[in-house]
Amino acid sequence: MQYTTESWPALEKALKERILIIDGAMGTMIQGYKLTEEQFRGEEFKDWPSDVKGNNDLLNITQPHVIQEIHEKYLEAGADIIETNTFNSTPISLADYNMGHLTYRSNKAAAENAVRASKAYEAKTGKKTWVAGGIGPTSKTCSISPSVEHPEFRNVTYDELVEAYTEQTRGLIDGGSDVLLVETISDTPNAKAAIFAINTLADRTGVRLPLLISGTITDASGRTLSGQTIDGFYTSMRHAGMLSIGLNCALGAAQMRPYLSRLSEIGECYISTYPNAGLPNAMGEYDQDPEQMAEAVRDFMESGFVNIIGGCCGTTPEHIVAISKVAKQYAPHVPQQRSNVMVLSGLERLRFEKETINFMNIGERCNVAGSLKFKRLVKDNRYEEAVAIAKEQVEGGAQILDINFDDGLLDGVACMTKFCNLLASDPDICKVPFCIDSSKFHVVEAGMKCVQGKAIVNSISLKNGEKEFKEQALKILRYGAAVVVMAFDERGQAAEMEEKVKICTRSYRILVDEVGFPPEDIIFDPNILTIATGLEEHNNYAVNFIEASRRMKATLPLCKISGGLSNLSFSFRGLEEIRMAMHSVFLFHAIQAGLDMAIVNAGALPPYTDIDPKLLTLCEDVILNKHDKATENIVNCAEEMRQNKTAKSGGGESSAEAWRSGTVQERLSHALVKGITAHIIEDTEEARANKERYPKTLNVIEGPLMDGMAIVGELFGAGKMFLPQVIKSARVMKKAVGYLIPFMEEEKAAALAAGEVQDKPAGTVLLATVKGDVHDIGKNIVGVVLGCNNYRIIDLGVMCSCEKILETAKAENVDVIGLSGLITPSLDEMVHVAKEMTRNGFTVPLLIGGATTSRMHTAVKIAPFYKHGVVHVLDASKSVVTVSQLQGDQVEDFKEEVAELYDELREEYDATRKGMRLLTLADARKRRLQIDWEKSPPVRKPTFLGTKTIEGYDLQCLVDKIDWNPFFAVWQIRGKYPNRGYPKLFNDETVGAEAKRLFSEAQQMLHKIIDQKLLTAKAVLGFYPANAVGDDIEVYADEERKTVVKTFHGLRQQMEKERTDDPYLCLSDFIAPKETGLPDYLGLFSVSAGFGADELCAKFEAEQDDFNSIMVKALADRLAEAFAEALHEEVRKEYWGYHADEVLDAAALHKQQYQGVRPAPGYPSQPDHREKLLMWDLADIAKSGMLLTDSQSIMPAASTCALVFAHPQSKYFAVGKIMKDQIEDYAKRTGTSIEECERQLGSILSYE
């Protein structure tokens, strides 16, 4: 490691020559001064609104002479290294005193105090000493939830920690620190955030100081507070490039010994320790005197454990004098040589040495792309069951856990964060390392911010060029992870052996030579591709992988090889016996060639020696591509297995030729499904000859042949047919069509002679894997299937830009465009292509396919942008039917049917962008709501200021305020005009009776909930002095309105309005502007009727009673909304009292016929959910048990919140679409990036 500090050479020399002494406790010394509140405050903070005594870090500013004097005492005692008084100098910890803004100043001042003492001592004695910039753990933890009920919740995020530590580090460096010391680490993710902040700041500024790291073992378990063993902790820190690592605090020397001994055995850097003066007594004091402590730590030095030693809690300069005398008698510890073995960690260490671990199983079932069950549980928000899958994987032998949430309809960041946080609460799971798996790098980063161990990132590649590759690799290095590198480059995915080796070699050289990535932490995935597809070019894919692995292990030192096994046997979906056997055989050969790890279902693989000999031979033949019949043989075996399953269930045929006795339509269908060509010509001729039924030859294709292919599609979609069989079906179809072509040509010639217009028998289909994606097996199979059905195929290959796709489509005059993609980012590119097709005036249908696509995603995200037919195609076999319907006589009917289906799927979305005009933000602000505050001043002052908690609200009081319309919507009970809505719904001919029955059952459950007190309602209500400043609302500490405690941020309407006198609204318009001098107020509340709902639902689900589980959730939601309605009414009548004589029934309340409004962040008036964070901080709402998730959803689920505005002219509104100028302004006001604001507010952006 290259350091920029001038004092480094002397420090390095000293560490090699002797044991250095670090100072003792700062807090103990400060207590001895018995400083008063006034002395803590000093002149500058004499009027500070809260007590500051105990904020030792403030003394850096108010009593610098005291701090400098303490440093001088430790230097006189023999300390070589003095630590700055900055243990709590982060915005997070200083926030306890409302002094977060002093972070930089406190740290800079602290370093300057220590540097002055150090320089004065050196001038006096000639002895060189060093200043260590101290970085404490903060008052919050990133790995542990403060709520037992919500283990996924965190009261601080990784990003907040990084920001805090960056500010602290800047101050320490600018103040003149020689080294940085991250100390008292009980929570590893906090320390990883500090290291990330330190190293990224160094990358940015070029200033890199030596880094010392010191952890804390909290008890006799030998683990950190977050559960890591010493080995696991060291592995998590190893990437930091630290000068030293050690232990401090929590324990006395005697208790610390075994852990310090272990650290000295594995540490590849210098070792430090500064224990407490024994264990605290009953009064919390430390009894070990200087001589006793010196003798206690003598063992550390005598045993050769340490290079740096000192004292922590309870120690004084006298202790340092005694320790210093002992240290002079012993030589320093000699660090271990750096190992080139790959080491990973969860709570525990996983050291990958071939002598002890020949192969590592990476559990695959926590991957939405690899497990339908896991995906369903995540989509249904059933995370406890999803966690159980992770536990099963670990118990089944998975040594690493793969985690992937790449799905177009999932919020990958939110899912990854929540799931990883939940796993962190189960030591049986998080003891193993995690593999954070995503094709979206920001999702990868979300995972890395949650794991405390050393993880694997899966994956990066060269597909977008070297610049992005190196940037991502450096970030992964900073996060402290190993990396999987895919065999992709700018030209696409490597399939052949030579290409795999070439791409991986290039990647290796960049990582090792340019990025500085440890070669032992580089894991190559040379792409395990699908074999036995029926396509000859796929037959050698397994051999290519195996041989590439062998070559790379020989030429790329220390690299590892991995792969995803499920791709190998994708042709045999639904037949797990064959799939698992293929996986076992492949591993047998690949491991011998150098495969180190693979993503597998660890508990499902049969031992190689236990595979049935016949099946073993078939698998060997197809994996090693031993002969031309290998694929056909294993496909026949798969068919036999399927038929045996059918026969056992009573569906078997009595004779192989029984199907020949059916009608010609049945025989053609059977031949297509079974891939039988033996009789296809005679059966096709029989159908063609029946002119009464099939007047034109083309009618035979559009009739029985297409009907047969439709059955093939259904069977394949159900997993009852396999890719090779589908291709055989397509070949049967091609043979039949080939026989019919001459007859169609004759009919065409005759029709032309007679002047008739002929139907088009087939069309031209353009297929492309979209930009950014390199996967093409599925697309290729679609091309084969369509080609066999007499369609002209234009295959543009992979990584196709939108421009290339549309240019080719125009030039070739195609009839259909088909887009494919496997990775999640492809979905966004498909949306882009759809938009561009619209912009360029295309009218041809658009097909969407690929593993990550879905009908729902197509309907919600793609179809709204293209009106000429967007159809999701589930798989290859269905492509024939779909393209045929898009080319036949009924094309418009088919498009209309699909459009209607997609309309239903889009009920909860309104993604259609309409043409609109928007005002600039400046113009919108000029046309804001202009309240005449003199004529219409703010309403009266609330009856109290501050926060009030309401416990156990009577649910019976809420029943009359329930709005039942959303309840029926949950159950999808909808009446038709004139019987829409409750209670007219009961009169509807179709659903009225069911609605009455459902309502009756709801009443029974509601009474049960109320009578038995099964649910509990709580609320937090607050009122605060406030004034508007532009589009923001400042909230003040008190009526003096000098100290701003929070600022709520508004968004202003920009969509042009029809009436020129209509104002462009923002929530700040409803609060008196600061410049008016008028006192105004802002209210807020959060309510929940969901306490107890999860437990009640769990009880019903355990009884297999899903109906009542859903009923409870629906009623809890209704009660929460009714609670909000009731509390808002009490605000108007009592708590604020500005409309005490209001008389409104439930219907009027639901129509919002009251004065004032109660908009919630995340809804139309302020669509940014992040504003809830300000509410929760201001009113300390979390104390009530109502918590916010990382995506700002409220837990329990049956909860809602609101800001309360009282002015008579306040009203509900929707911000609507906004322009880039407002996003830029909003980002500046909120102190966040433009990109983050665009992500949060994507649904209201008027631009792409």
Side-chain angles (χ1 to χ4, degrees), residues 13-20 80 127-128 130 307 332:
K13 182 174 183 292
L15 282 166
K16 290 178 179 178
E17 294 176 347
R18 59 189 172 90
I19 296 174
L20 299 187
D80 298 291
K127 179 185 175 183
K128 175 63 181 173
W130 296 270
N307 303 92

Side-chain angles (χ1 to χ4, degrees), residues 904-917:
E904 293 176 12
L905 293 174
R906 279 195 300 270
E907 280 183 354
E908 58 184 302
Y909 294 89
D910 179 20
T912 304
R913 295 182 183 273
K914 300 176 181 178
M916 65 185 77
R917 291 191 69 245

Side-chain angles (χ1 to χ4, degrees), residues 964 967-968 971 973 986 993-1009 1100 1105 1107-1108 1110-1112 1115:
W964 287 102
F967 171 82
F968 287 108
W971 295 96
I973 303 292
F986 297 148
E994 176 63 19
K996 288 179 182 177
R997 183 193 65 76
L998 182 66
F999 187 69
S1000 175
E1001 291 177 318
Q1003 295 302 308
Q1004 293 174 32
M1005 178 62 76
L1006 188 56
H1007 290 311
K1008 181 179 178 180
I1009 288 171
F1100 284 124
D1105 188 353
F1107 176 83
N1108 275 321
I1110 297 171
M1111 179 67 78
V1112 168
L1115 289 174

Side-chain angles (χ1 to χ4, degrees), residues 962-1117:
I962 291 177
D963 182 357
W964 287 102
N965 283 307
F967 171 82
F968 287 108
V970 168
W971 295 96
Q972 298 183 14
I973 303 292
R974 298 181 180 88
K976 296 180 180 177
Y977 180 82
N979 295 316
R980 291 176 180 166
Y982 168 84
K984 295 179 180 178
L985 181 69
F986 297 148
N987 301 321
D988 189 85
E989 291 183 6
T990 305
V991 301
E994 176 63 19
K996 288 179 182 177
R997 183 193 65 76
L998 182 66
F999 187 69
S1000 175
E1001 291 177 318
Q1003 295 302 308
Q1004 293 174 32
M1005 178 62 76
L1006 188 56
H1007 290 311
K1008 181 179 178 180
I1009 288 171
I1010 294 172
D1011 294 344
Q1012 298 181 23
K1013 300 187 184 324
L1014 299 176
L1015 299 181
T1016 302
K1018 296 181 184 179
V1020 175
L1021 173 66
F1023 300 104
Y1024 310 93
N1027 283 110
V1029 178
D1031 290 349
D1032 294 336
I1033 300 170
E1034 290 185 348
V1035 176
Y1036 305 108
D1038 49 42
E1039 285 284 34
E1040 289 188 7
R1041 300 174 185 258
K1042 293 180 179 178
T1043 303
V1044 178
V1045 292
K1046 290 293 173 194
T1047 301
F1048 288 92
H1049 311 98
L1051 288 163
R1052 187 168 296 282
Q1053 293 174 319
Q1054 288 186 272
M1055 292 174 61
E1056 188 174 56
K1057 303 188 178 187
E1058 291 184 9
R1059 291 166 51 109
T1060 57
D1061 57 347
D1062 280 349
Y1064 289 75
L1065 300 176
C1066 175
L1067 288 176
S1068 63
D1069 294 346
F1070 309 145
I1071 298 287
K1074 191 174 185 177
E1075 60 266 23
T1076 65
L1078 296 172
D1080 207 344
Y1081 303 89
L1082 178 70
L1084 66 78
F1085 65 72
S1086 182
V1087 300
S1088 177
F1091 291 97
D1094 288 345
E1095 294 79 3
L1096 187 55
C1097 291
K1099 175 178 175 293
F1100 284 124
E1101 288 166 5
E1103 297 168 355
Q1104 308 298 310
D1105 188 353
D1106 290 337
F1107 176 83
N1108 275 321
S1109 176
I1110 297 171
M1111 179 67 78
V1112 168
K1113 293 175 183 176
L1115 289 174
D1117 282 344

Side-chain angles (χ1 to χ4, degrees), residues 488-506:
F488 303 156
D489 67 3
E490 298 87 344
R491 295 175 299 171
Q493 175 178 259
E496 300 304 317
M497 189 269 287
E498 293 291 345
E499 193 62 24
K500 293 176 189 286
V501 174
K502 180 180 178 182
I503 292 173
C504 291
T505 300
R506 178 186 168 204

